[in-house]
């Protein structure tokens, strides 16, 4: 049956109208959906199940005489990146997959899209041709390309892609400096930009620019460990420092005192990162350390952070309580912020008024009122907390409890119907209770306000591609701390090796936790003034999994190495 159709419709629509593949009502409905959703006809046909992906592909194969190509057998990374124009890819729902001579081949589920062929041909002055592929596989490829579009190709990112965060005064007026404008300084600008962009691409958390008497060193912190990346001529150190200070809106004339600033870097159309910058005068010049605050990289999925089921349930139970205090402890760089924000993302509903005081704001969550602490202007954690209590809060997050004043206000909030989340710098859950007491908090306030304490570390995960077996005698495993129930004769552990896909045999990190809920026994011990050792024994007797045991379990599962267990828990 031939279906009447507007001649302005796509060739695929006209072909379907002239066939019996779809009914008239189905095609009319599909065309209406393309207009409503702004998607291609081929996408609508498959997503709304008018046709399966393979049915559509076979129809086009018969109708247009094009062979069906399996996208799984094509490696689009062979196409030079300059032809991966994301605006054209997204506009036409096609992907460049091959370049042979002057012919650029586009993967298409609708080979009648002449506009796509013409736009790519005009943009790059190439001949274009269609490669027929299945719609579902094309969607997967486009998703990968979109993700890749947010990674870095250092040779094709211009200096103009780096933009300073607005921090008040115009640097042109504040400094009389021509750095980055003269031809002599252009290489410095390009070099610094590439170093920063490479750090983000390699998922570094920190960059260190370090001057010494006879050499200059640039290091990245990757998966918690520092690695030397470059050693440029030592005489460039002052120019590096000046360039970084200009980017961070710091006073380049001040070289005697530490300074703090920020840089916002635009990587692609859809991705940008903030960097916190600190300059420190050292014996041989200014050392610059930059902390990358990439909120898009933070994974706020509680199932992927490394909790075991018991620990996860304890955290979720504490989050469900209408009041009380949840404390996350550990050294700098142990993932405390991600743990807190994972909890906040679970609590972030329309019915909850959530306010946070942070220094700095590392992860941005829509729906949460985030306050950047600014001690220079008098906005401290304590000041922000007092203001929160006048803002009808339900949930409060304090970036860190640093002093008695902040601790007292946080405890007061937890005792008066608010859920409070915060961090402390302690080594274990039990030590957190004694730290609060040492700050000057009365024991009864600690016992009545704290509901849960989580101590944590970040361990480097073994690379899946190169890890190798590391079999040890059962006696040695017991000496390392494995419990009898964890050890068996055939148990296999793994160690790091190193390959092109990882750094020294490790890739990525996972959390190691000990989760301590407050109970009557602990509350009584706190009231009696017990020390951290006594509290730790009571916690273990109540069933708490220690950091060491949690790390050993990750090793038993083949996720981390024994060397990593010893590094983070000894």
């Amino acid at each position: 049956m031939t279906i009447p159709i507007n001649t302005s419709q796509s060739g695929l629509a006209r072909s379907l109208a002239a066939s019996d593949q779809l009914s008239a009502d189905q095609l009319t409905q599909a065309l209406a959906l393309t207009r409503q959703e702004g998607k291609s006809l081929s996408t609508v046909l498959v997503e709304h199940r008018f046709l399966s992906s393979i049915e559509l592909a076979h129809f086009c194969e018969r109708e247009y005489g094009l062979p069906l190509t399996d996208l799984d057998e094509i490696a689009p990374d062979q196409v030079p990146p300059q032809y991966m124009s994301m605006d054209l890819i997204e506009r036409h729902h096609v992907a460049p997959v091959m370049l042979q001579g002057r012919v650029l081949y586009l993967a298409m589920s609708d080979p009648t899209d002449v506009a796509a062929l013409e736009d790519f041909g005009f943009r790059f002055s190439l001949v274009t041709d269609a490669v027929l592929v299945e719609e579902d596989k094309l969607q997967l490829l486009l998703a990968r390309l979109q993700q890749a579009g947010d990674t870095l190709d250092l040779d094709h990112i211009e200096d103009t892609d780096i933009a300073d965060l607005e921090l008040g005064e115009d640097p042109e007026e504040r400094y009389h400096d021509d750095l980055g404008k003269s031809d002599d300084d252009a290489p410095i600008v390009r070099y610094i930009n590439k170093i920063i962009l490479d750090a983000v691409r390699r998922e570094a958390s920190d960059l260190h620019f370090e001057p010494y008497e006879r050499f200059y060193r640039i290091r990245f912190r990757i998966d918690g460990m520092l690695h030397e990346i470059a050693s440029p001529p030592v005489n460039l150190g002052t120019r590096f420092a000046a360039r970084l200070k200009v980017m961070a809106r710091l006073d380049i004339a001040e070289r005697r005192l530490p300074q703090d600033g920020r840089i916002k870097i635009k990587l692609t159309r859809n991705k940008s990162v903030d960097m916190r910058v600190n300059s420190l005068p050292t014996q041989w010049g200014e050392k610059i350390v930059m902390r990358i605050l990439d909120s898009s990289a933070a994974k706020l999925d509680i199932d992927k952070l490394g909790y075991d089921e018991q620990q996860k349930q304890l955290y979720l139970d504490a989050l469900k309580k209408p009041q009380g205090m949840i404390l996350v402890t550990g050294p700098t760089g142990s993932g405390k912020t991600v743990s807190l924000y994972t909890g906040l993302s679970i609590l972030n509903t329309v019915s909850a008024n959530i306010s946070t005081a942070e220094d700095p704001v590392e992860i941005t969550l829509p729906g949460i009122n985030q306050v950047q602490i600014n001690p220079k202007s008098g906005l401290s954690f304590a000041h922000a907390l007092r203001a929160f209590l006048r803002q009808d809060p339900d949930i409060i997050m304090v970036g860190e409890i640093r002093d008695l004043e902040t601790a007292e206000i946080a405890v007061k909030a937890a005792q008066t119907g608010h859920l409070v989340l915060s961090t402390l710098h302690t080594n274990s859950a039990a030590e957190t209770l004694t730290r609060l007491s040492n700050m000057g908090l009365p024991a009864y306030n600690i016992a009545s306000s704290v509901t849960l304490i989580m101590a944590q570390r970040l361990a480097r995960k073994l690379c899946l591609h190169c890890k190798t077996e590391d079999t040890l005698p059962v006696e040695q495993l017991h000496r390392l701390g494995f419990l009898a129930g964890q050890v068996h004769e055939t148990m296999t552990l793994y160690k790091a090796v190193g390959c092109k896909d990882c750094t020294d045999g490790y890739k990525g990190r996972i959390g190691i936790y000990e989760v301590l809920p407050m109970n009557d026994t602990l509350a009584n011990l706190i009231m009696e003034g017990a020390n951290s050792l006594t509290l730790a024994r009571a916690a273990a007797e109540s069933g708490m999994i220690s950091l060491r045991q949690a790390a050993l379990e990750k090793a038993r599962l083949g996720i981390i190495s024994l060397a990593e267990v010893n590094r983070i828990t000894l």
Side-chain angles (χ1 to χ4, degrees):
M1 173 183 175
T2 302
I3 305 169
I5 193 163
N6 191 318
T7 57
S8 65
Q9 298 287 359
S10 71
L12 178 59
R14 290 195 296 271
S15 297
L16 288 169
S19 73
D20 58 358
Q21 195 77 30
L22 295 176
S23 68
D25 288 342
Q26 286 177 317
L27 183 55
T28 301
Q29 184 182 357
L31 291 171
L33 287 169
T34 63
R35 292 189 292 271
Q36 293 172 15
E37 299 179 3
K39 296 179 179 178
S40 68
L41 177 57
S42 58
T43 301
V44 167
L45 290 172
V46 173
E47 286 186 351
H48 291 272
R49 300 184 179 179
F50 294 106
L51 293 172
S52 70
S53 185
I54 194 64
E55 285 174 340
L56 176 61
H58 285 322
F59 173 79
C60 292
E61 188 178 26
R62 294 192 304 270
E63 192 73 17
Y64 308 118
L66 286 174
L68 179 60
T69 301
D70 187 355
L71 259 183
D72 294 336
E73 298 179 358
I74 298 178
D77 55 357
Q78 296 177 1
V79 177
Q82 62 265 34
Y83 299 125
M84 290 294 179
S85 174
M86 290 309 300
D87 61 327
L88 293 182
I89 289 171
E90 294 170 0
R91 185 191 315 162
H92 294 295
H93 193 68
V94 301
V97 290
M98 285 188 291
L99 180 66
Q100 294 182 351
R102 299 292 299 169
V103 181
L104 182 65
Y105 290 91
L106 306 180
M108 311 172 73
S109 57
D110 177 4
T112 67
D113 188 356
V114 177
L117 297 168
E118 290 179 345
D119 282 358
F120 270 91
F122 181 77
R123 172 75 62 88
F124 302 115
S125 300
L126 295 172
V127 177
T128 54
D129 203 352
V131 174
L132 177 62
V133 298
E134 296 173 52
E135 168 65 22
D136 56 356
K137 292 185 177 181
L138 178 59
Q139 288 189 19
L140 290 174
L141 173 60
L142 293 176
R144 290 199 302 269
L145 291 177
Q146 179 64 52
Q147 184 178 8
D150 287 338
T151 61
L152 304 175
D153 182 341
L154 301 181
D155 293 332
H156 297 91
I157 294 182
E158 301 295 333
D159 296 339
T160 54
D161 289 332
I162 294 185
D164 287 349
L165 182 65
E166 293 299 327
L167 295 176
E169 302 171 28
D170 186 340
E172 298 284 346
E173 298 173 359
R174 185 174 177 184
Y175 321 117
H176 300 290
D177 182 78
D178 293 326
L179 188 67
K181 298 177 185 177
S182 71
D183 292 339
D184 290 342
D185 288 316
I188 296 292
V189 173
R190 289 196 299 270
Y191 185 81
I192 290 293
N193 290 353
K194 287 192 176 185
I195 287 288
I196 294 173
L197 293 168
D198 192 36
V200 179
R201 179 179 61 80
R202 297 180 62 176
E203 299 181 356
S205 61
D206 302 85
L207 295 77
H208 293 239
F209 294 81
E210 303 170 312
Y212 297 94
E213 181 181 13
R214 299 186 183 279
F215 67 95
Y216 193 92
R217 181 171 65 183
I218 298 175
R219 293 191 291 175
F220 292 172
R221 188 176 294 277
I222 301 172
D223 291 336
M225 303 295 287
L226 281 169
H227 301 271
E228 184 169 333
I229 301 303
S231 183
V234 67
N235 63 325
L236 295 179
T238 55
R239 295 172 69 186
F240 287 157
R243 171 60 185 166
L244 291 167
K245 289 170 72 174
V246 166
M247 294 172 68
R249 307 288 174 90
L250 303 180
D251 186 350
I252 63 172
E254 177 57 74
R255 299 186 179 92
R256 299 166 299 174
L257 297 173
Q259 297 185 68
D260 292 293
R262 295 178 74 115
I263 302 171
K264 184 169 185 177
I265 302 177
K266 182 174 175 60
L267 304 175
T268 67
R269 281 189 307 125
N270 303 315
K271 182 179 177 66
S272 62
V273 296
D274 286 334
M275 307 190 80
R276 185 174 61 188
V277 182
N278 177 266
S279 69
L280 176 69
T282 69
Q283 184 177 6
W284 305 109
E286 290 181 279
K287 175 178 177 177
I288 309 291
V289 175
M290 308 170 73
R291 166 66 59 88
I292 298 176
L293 309 175
D294 185 3
S295 60
S296 66
K299 299 176 178 61
L300 303 181
D301 184 347
I302 194 169
D303 292 321
K304 296 180 180 179
L305 295 185
Y307 296 99
D308 73 8
E309 286 302 315
Q310 174 191 342
Q311 293 172 331
K312 182 178 78 170
Q313 195 57 52
L314 288 171
Y315 190 18
L316 292 174
D317 290 344
L319 290 171
K320 291 176 184 176
K321 294 181 179 180
Q323 66 183 52
M325 183 184 294
I326 299 173
L327 295 173
V328 183
T329 78
T332 300
S334 60
K336 299 187 296 295
T337 300
V338 172
S339 292
L340 285 177
Y341 266 92
T342 299
L344 289 180
S345 67
I346 294 171
L347 297 169
N348 189 13
T349 63
V350 175
S351 61
N353 178 20
I354 305 176
S355 296
T356 74
E358 305 170 68
D359 185 23
V361 175
E362 295 189 31
I363 300 172
T364 302
L365 278 184
I368 293 179
N369 309 291
Q370 297 172 266
V371 174
Q372 169 70 53
I373 295 305
N374 187 352
K376 291 182 179 178
S377 64
L379 180 57
S380 64
F381 283 114
H383 281 89
L385 269 175
R386 289 195 189 93
F388 290 167
L389 293 175
R390 295 190 291 270
Q391 289 264 319
D392 185 31
D394 297 303
I395 300 156
I396 294 171
M397 194 269 272
V398 186
E400 183 183 347
I401 294 178
R402 297 177 177 172
D403 51 47
L404 177 60
E405 183 183 17
T406 304
E408 287 176 337
I409 301 171
V411 165
K412 177 183 176 183
Q415 292 175 331
T416 55
H418 308 96
L419 181 62
V420 179
L421 294 86
S422 190
T423 71
L424 275 174
H425 286 284
T426 60
N427 292 323
S428 68
E431 287 179 27
T432 303
L433 296 169
T434 54
R435 173 65 62 84
L436 291 173
S437 179
N438 293 338
M439 279 186 176
L441 281 178
Y444 61 85
N445 276 343
I446 300 172
S448 63
S449 60
V450 175
T451 57
L452 187 78
I453 302 172
M454 296 193 302
Q456 67 179 76
R457 302 290 189 274
L458 284 178
R460 294 178 294 169
K461 293 195 294 184
L462 286 163
C463 174
L464 296 176
H465 296 96
C466 66
K467 67 179 183 179
T468 60
E469 293 186 5
D470 185 19
T471 305
L472 298 176
V474 172
E475 296 77 13
Q476 186 174 350
L477 295 178
H478 285 308
R479 288 197 299 272
L480 287 169
F482 281 101
L483 302 177
Q486 292 177 303
V487 176
H488 53 81
E489 293 292 341
T490 60
M491 187 172 77
T492 302
L493 303 174
Y494 293 88
K495 61 183 177 181
V497 178
C499 66
K500 63 180 179 62
D501 294 314
C502 65
T503 303
D504 298 335
Y506 299 96
K507 188 173 180 64
R509 290 192 287 178
I510 191 169
I512 307 294
Y513 305 90
E514 62 179 27
V515 181
L516 176 61
M518 182 62 68
N519 55 39
D520 292 342
T521 301
L522 289 172
N524 290 331
L525 289 172
I526 293 168
M527 296 295 292
E528 294 170 2
N531 60 33
S532 58
L533 292 176
T534 303
L535 292 168
R537 281 195 297 268
E541 291 170 359
S542 69
M544 183 192 77
I545 302 171
S546 69
L547 281 170
R548 178 75 176 180
Q549 287 299 322
L552 288 171
E553 178 63 13
K554 292 290 192 300
R556 188 185 70 82
L557 295 173
I559 299 172
I560 68 176
S561 66
L562 281 176
E564 193 68 1
V565 171
N566 292 330
R567 185 183 71 86
I568 65 172
T569 62
L570 282 183

